Amino acid sequence: MDLSLPASLVDKLLRHLDLLAQWNRRYNLTAIQTGPDMVTHHLLDCLAVVPYAPAGRLLDLGTGAGFPGVPLALARPEDHYTLVDSSLKRIRFVRHVKAQLKLTNVETRHCRAEALHGEAPFDGVVARAFRAPQTVLSLAAPLLAPGGRCVVMCGQAPAAGNPAPGAFTRVSAVPLRVPFLAAIRHLLIGERS
C-alpha cells in the first residue's frame, strides 16, 4: 500500500477521526477510541481496500461511523458513495462528517440493507464489520449491476464458497496487508455475473 498521500487528503482523513472522537464521547459510535488505534484500525484498514473497490457508484452496507465509505470517498472523489446504516445516530454522525468535509460524492441513507432491493444497481458494494461475509454477499448480489463487485472486509480468511450460485461468477478470499497493523485481515470478493 502506497502511503504517500496528498496533504489535503490526510487532513480530511484526520478531520474525520477528530469528529469521531468528539461524537464518541457522547454517542459511543465505536469501541476504538485512541488516536493511533483509530488511524490503523479505521483509516489505514479502509484505505487498504482502495485497489480492490470498483470504480463508479458504490454502496457501503452498514457504514457505522462512515467506514469504509468516507475514507474511500475521500481517496476516490470521482466515484459516488451511498452510505447505509440502520442506526440513526450513526447516520446523523456521517451526515455531519459529510457536511464538515464537504463531501459532494457521498449520499446517506437511514435504512436496512434489505430496503434497498429494487434500487438502481450499484457498480460495487463494500462492507466492514457488518454481518457474516457470506451473508453480505447474499445481500449484495441483487444490488449489484452485471459485472459489479462486492468487497467484504473481514479478519480471518472466510470460506470462499459462492453463497448465491448464479449471481457471482467468482468468489475469492484475498489476504490484506494493512500498514502498522499486526492483526489478520482478509477480503471476500464476489464478482457479479
Side-chain angles (χ1 to χ4, degrees):
M1 180 177 163
D2 179 12
L3 289 178
S4 57
L5 305 172
S8 60
L9 173 58
V10 171
D11 288 344
K12 287 184 177 184
L13 290 166
L14 293 177
R15 179 72 178 128
H16 181 195
L17 292 187
D18 287 342
L19 294 168
L20 178 58
Q22 291 169 18
W23 277 58
N24 224 13
R25 287 190 280 272
R26 294 186 64 192
Y27 299 107
N28 191 29
L29 297 170
T30 177
I32 299 169
Q33 301 194 7
T34 64
D37 286 344
M38 290 173 97
V39 169
T40 56
H41 290 73
H42 289 318
L43 293 185
L44 295 179
D45 192 39
C46 293
L47 291 173
V49 176
V50 170
Y52 301 95
R57 188 168 168 260
L58 283 91
L59 173 66
D60 176 1
L61 285 177
T63 193
F67 299 108
V70 170
L72 291 175
L74 287 166
R76 295 187 12 196
E78 66 279 3
D79 297 326
H80 183 269
Y81 295 84
T82 301
L83 281 57
V84 173
D85 204 285
S86 62
S87 166
L88 186 55
K89 74 177 178 181
R90 291 183 185 129
I91 285 297
R92 284 182 177 149
F93 170 71
V94 174
R95 288 175 181 158
H96 180 71
V97 169
K98 176 185 172 184
Q100 292 295 307
L101 300 180
K102 297 177 177 44
L103 292 172
T104 58
N105 62 336
V106 169
E107 170 188 349
T108 61
R109 298 277 302 273
H110 172 234
C111 66
R112 297 186 57 79
E114 295 83 358
L116 297 170
H117 293 284
E119 302 246 339
F122 293 88
D123 298 307
V125 173
V126 293
R128 175 180 182 257
F130 174 54
R131 293 189 187 167
Q134 295 288 348
T135 302
V136 175
L137 285 180
S138 293
L139 282 170
L143 301 171
L144 284 167
R149 178 185 293 166
C150 180
V151 178
V152 185
M153 301 171 68
C154 39
Q156 297 293 331
N162 194 338
F168 294 103
T169 54
R170 185 175 66 158
V171 175
S172 56
V174 177
L176 186 66
R177 295 206 55 208
V178 179
F180 310 110
L181 184 62
I184 296 170
R185 293 287 190 262
H186 287 83
L187 299 177
L188 185 63
I189 300 174
E191 306 282 345
R192 184 78 166 91
S193 308

